[in-house]
Amino acid sequence: MAKKPVKRLSDYQAPAFFVDTLDLHVELHDSATLVTATSRLKKAGTDSLLRLDGEQLELVSLELDGVAVEPRFENDQLLLDVPGEGAELKVVTRINPEANTALEGLYKSGGAFCTQCEAEGFRRITYFPDRPDVLAVYTTTIVADKALYPQLLSNGNLVASGDLEGGRHFATWQDPHPKPCYLFALVAGDFDLLEDGFTTSSGRDVLLQIFVDKGRKAQARHAMDALKGAMKWDQDNYGLEYDLDRYMIVAVDFFNMGAMENKGLNIFNAKYVLADDDTATDQDYDAIAAIIAHEYFHNWTGNRVTCRDWFQLSLKEGLTVFRDQQFSADWAGSSATRIKEAQVIRTNQFAEDAGPMSHPIRPQAVAEMNNFYTVTVYNKGAEVIRMLHGLLGKAGFRAGMDLYFERHDGQAVTCDDFVDAMADANDRDLTAFKGWYSQSGTPVVNVAEHWDGSQYSLVLTQHTPPTADQQQKGPLPLPFAIELLGHGRQVLQLDGAEQRFELGSFAEKPVLAPLCGFSAPVKLVFEQSDAELAALVEKASDGFVRVDAAERLLQRLVEAWLKGEEHAALDLWLGALEAIAKGPLQDAFLESELFKVPGIMAMQGWFETIDLDGLVAARDRLRQAVRERCFGALKARYQEVQGLADKGARALTNSLLALLAENLPEEVARRYHQAANMTERQGALAAAVAGELAESEALLAEFAERYQDNPQVLDKWLMLQGQRAGALERMDQLSRHGAFNWQNPNRTRALFGTFIAHNPQCHTEAGYAWLGLVLPKLDAINPQATARMVAPLLQWRRFDAGRRAQLEQLLTALRARDSLSADVGELLDKALA
Ligand code: B3K
Ligand code: ZN
């Protein structure tokens, strides 16, 4: 197995050399691109040993101040002694973009060249100090065939361009802002272009350009509007303006993640750019706006102020996710926005904490950095920023941000620098709060209530169970927002392991709604009565509390079912749903969440050991119970909203249809065929598939035919195929289907990723045998994408004895393979430790 040495935060050393300027000259050819990199080096301390990173490069020549030098190698580094205070370094390398299926460094997506350098992809372009604390001013010249690649793009401003011999042409770009190499980007292709403009608050006219595949220009309109919305929002809310004359976005179909914030030249997964009503759901529209905003916001939180080292990733990612969440809440938000954010933490992040990949939002040891672009670093990181925002208030948080930029603009800094700016701007001691950066695991908050006939008080205690990476835990300061039904809301600040809160005198015992708005990323243990929980589902004023109360009821119920017992929670839950459905429609988004049966993934998080068969049976039984008991009320609500042309109504209609599909097969088919947009069409199709309706086969075939020319839409089809009952038997055929492509991570994630994460059939003997064949094949193509897909299997120890044994065997055999990537290897090392 390929191994990467584990790096530790505590071993950080400042670079020996800075790079003032970097001139890149890139001669593009499909299989032999020539890169000439000329850098002006400046000694940073006393050490004269220069370390350059490089992977999968052919070194053509190496010169220091015009004199050829002999390279010395140590693992993936090239070492050079540089006498004096600095020198000019010229490195020429040859690379093969066409063979680059890992999609890191320079590669081809369809007919175009593009790059992905974060975290450590620049070292696949040239030898360079590939670390975020080396900031240089870049000048990039691209040379390529003019007919095939009429558009040549890189960071910053276009300073020269022209024709060359042999049908080739060139363009030279200059980026005046010093940046780390992970923000470098280059694109060459033949795209359709949507242009617009934005004038910043200080009067700078910015040209906005979105480059998309031919014929897709109209589908970039929504992304463009979101970009303009984000630019204005950041000015209005943080006083942050754009700092170049041009902002470019390129949409490509081959891309490992969502998007990348390269300075002035974002590269996006086409999935997060292209949309129109016929091809994108309401959810797609929202995700596009959120990611467009996220990458734009990075221009300040990430690019102008960047990370000292990759352990600090949450410095830019947690903060930028928080900012995009704020933007989304303002721009397109609904009552379900916060509920969905909480679901990501409770389903995905808590699972990460409960498994072998547990790490603090600032990890302490990393082998393959790409493995740490996690829900912990991103989403829990955002929750930590959200708590800070709550603690300091809007104005205090803004003062902290202002001070952060005043102190650190143009620098590469640490999470401590960020918290210190927040503390200093507000004259607060945030030492204890910093524990959120160094401690992994999910705090468990225990709630005990006391009511003596008049005085009502709460005792909150917290403890964090040990995690795979860290045994010792301490209490963390956390805001615990509560509502006493009918008596208003307040925030209790829990600072220690145990605290008592006197809440006043009450003639009747008040009903407590805990953790309003999911005020802290914690688990709740609270022996609240079933009846109170049912009351919360119906009456709490906080949407998260309502959904959470339903979940706590269901957890009790499923726990009883798994033991072969019955539980009164069933009646209470059904009663609450029925009462809501019979009441006047108040909030369609919220109802759309309440009328969902939790998925298997969410249910897995309720228990330490995973009884997969029991959970599948429980889920099906819940769906059936709803149909039996609440059909009339839910159908009436369905009829009330199904014809309405608004987003909330569409969300609610889709939830109801998914619940009632088995009882309404004709209506499912009718809605599919008469759909006015993709939200309706996909909702109906998903309901047919989840309900395993006889109609689903024909509807899936119709869908594949209708969208045969649109790979992004066909990913929706592949996802449904991946989660369908009996998917495994169709895998071979599906992976040979024209909609599928082994080298495209969107396709493999849609079909295989969905199957692995969401289809219980994956956890059968045949499923494991299939994994044993498919994972090595995927890993040889794209390690980063494969590592992401493997994540759910890392939880193997939590399954029943039979599955545990089979999974251990599968993972052990995988780990023993010589050709295994460092990416997957790191995960398996941890999982099997
Ligand atoms: N910063 C990039 C993610 C890079 C992932 C590298 N494996 C996108 C983002 O968070 O905005
Ligand atoms: Zn980001």
Side-chain angles (χ1 to χ4, degrees), residues 447-719:
V447 183
E449 352 170 60
H450 303 275
W451 179 66
D452 62 10
S454 128
Q455 290 303 312
Y456 179 75
S457 64
L458 287 180
V459 175
L460 301 183
T461 54
Q462 62 162 310
H463 77 281
T464 302
T467 50
D469 63 319
Q470 200 180 53
Q471 290 303 304
Q472 299 300 323
K473 309 284 186 185
L476 296 170
L478 58 93
F480 196 85
I482 60 162
E483 181 193 358
L484 295 175
L485 287 201
H487 303 280
R489 184 170 156 152
Q490 58 185 297
V491 180
L492 311 177
Q493 182 62 34
L494 175 59
D495 285 319
E498 178 171 333
Q499 236 162 295
R500 187 180 187 93
F501 299 90
E502 298 295 343
L503 297 175
S505 94
F506 296 84
E508 272 177 56
K509 181 189 163 300
V511 176
L512 173 68
L515 206 59
C516 294
F518 194 52
S519 61
V522 300
K523 280 188 186 167
L524 200 60
V525 174
F526 180 18
E527 295 301 325
Q528 198 160 18
S529 75
D530 296 341
E532 284 194 357
L533 286 178
L536 291 181
V537 177
E538 275 186 63
K539 299 193 202 91
S541 53
D542 184 86
F544 167 77
V545 168
R546 293 181 68 179
V547 172
D548 174 61
E551 248 195 72
R552 285 193 283 148
L553 268 180
L554 291 177
Q555 184 173 347
R556 286 176 195 182
L557 174 59
V558 172
E559 199 175 333
W561 280 353
L562 292 179
K563 286 189 278 190
E565 295 163 7
E566 296 305 316
H567 199 288
L570 178 61
D571 257 359
L572 287 162
W573 178 63
L574 294 171
L577 291 197
E578 192 167 29
I580 293 166
K582 282 183 170 162
L585 178 61
Q586 277 162 349
D587 183 338
F589 283 107
L590 181 58
E591 282 196 15
S592 77
E593 294 301 317
L594 287 166
F595 294 149
K596 273 181 192 158
V597 168
I600 300 294
M601 279 271 277
M603 287 202 226
Q604 286 181 11
W606 299 346
F607 307 99
E608 257 174 58
T609 51
I610 302 169
D611 174 354
L612 190 61
D613 309 308
L615 294 180
V616 171
R619 180 200 59 190
D620 294 345
R621 201 173 153 193
L622 285 173
R623 287 171 53 94
Q624 197 186 342
V626 175
R627 288 201 307 276
E628 277 165 16
R629 162 91 179 261
C630 308
F631 180 73
L634 292 178
K635 177 150 185 235
R637 178 68 97 224
Y638 176 85
Q639 278 162 340
E640 181 184 344
V641 294
Q642 62 84 24
L644 303 178
D646 87 43
K647 210 168 133 182
R650 285 194 289 271
L652 178 52
T653 306
N654 281 347
S655 290
L656 290 166
L657 205 56
L659 264 185
L660 306 179
E662 287 94 319
N663 291 10
L664 300 171
E666 281 158 25
E667 172 58 14
V668 171
R670 183 204 66 80
R671 192 165 167 86
Y672 174 89
H673 290 296
Q674 294 177 8
N677 50 58
M678 179 55 82
T679 307
E680 297 180 4
R681 179 159 285 124
Q682 192 198 19
L685 187 59
V689 168
E692 297 179 36
L693 305 189
E695 287 78 358
S696 53
E697 198 64 51
L699 296 184
L700 280 166
E702 201 282 339
F703 191 91
E705 165 131 8
R706 182 186 285 259
Y707 296 107
Q708 55 182 319
D709 297 325
N710 189 322
Q712 283 81 36
V713 177
L714 287 178
D715 285 340
K716 300 178 189 305
W717 182 83
L718 289 171
M719 279 179 76

Side-chain angles (χ1 to χ4, degrees), residues 118 259 261 294-295 298 301 316-318 320-321 324 373 378:
E118 188 179 2
E261 71 264 24
H294 179 99
E295 307 310 333
H298 267 318
T301 50
K316 73 177 178 82
E317 295 305 346
T320 305
V321 171
D324 85 52
Y373 287 75
Y378 274 64

Side-chain angles (χ1 to χ4, degrees), residues 769-787:
W770 175 83
L771 283 173
L773 296 175
V774 164
L775 291 176
K777 182 164 172 182
L778 281 176
D779 190 40
I781 296 170
N782 188 329
Q784 198 179 323
T786 312

Side-chain angles (χ1 to χ4, degrees), residues 220-365:
R221 191 64 249 170
H222 170 70
M224 183 66 89
D225 291 340
L227 175 60
K228 287 160 70 179
M231 293 179 87
K232 179 171 183 332
W233 188 93
D234 219 14
Q235 292 182 164
D236 293 349
N237 288 276
Y238 289 102
L240 298 173
E241 271 183 60
Y242 189 58
D243 55 5
L244 285 166
D245 297 333
R246 200 194 274 246
Y247 192 88
M248 296 173 279
I249 290 174
V250 182
V252 298
D253 193 32
F254 285 65
F255 204 69
N256 274 337
M257 316 90 40
M260 179 64 212
E261 71 264 24
N262 316 300
K263 184 78 185 189
L265 176 55
N266 288 183
I267 299 180
F268 267 65
N269 190 323
K271 172 180 165 66
Y272 294 115
V273 174
L274 303 174
D276 59 29
D277 287 356
D278 183 46
T279 57
T281 63
D282 293 329
Q283 268 188 333
D284 293 331
Y285 274 104
D286 290 351
I288 288 168
I291 295 180
I292 291 274
H294 179 99
E295 307 310 333
Y296 175 73
F297 296 156
H298 267 318
N299 191 53
W300 280 92
T301 50
N303 301 5
R304 290 288 288 251
V305 184
T306 192
C307 301
R308 186 193 72 173
D309 53 74
W310 288 123
F311 299 99
Q312 319 294 332
L313 181 62
S314 204
L315 171 79
K316 73 177 178 82
E317 295 305 346
L319 178 55
T320 305
V321 171
F322 174 67
R323 277 153 49 70
D324 85 52
Q325 290 178 349
Q326 281 188 310
F327 167 77
S328 293
D330 287 354
W331 210 66
S334 75
S335 52
T337 309
R338 185 65 191 142
I339 294 171
K340 288 181 178 163
E341 288 162 5
Q343 263 159 9
V344 171
I345 297 288
R346 288 163 28 122
T347 305
N348 303 80
Q349 201 280 323
F350 287 0
E352 192 158 84
D353 264 340
M357 262 297 280
S358 169
H359 55 276
I361 64 168
R362 183 183 52 211
Q364 275 149 8

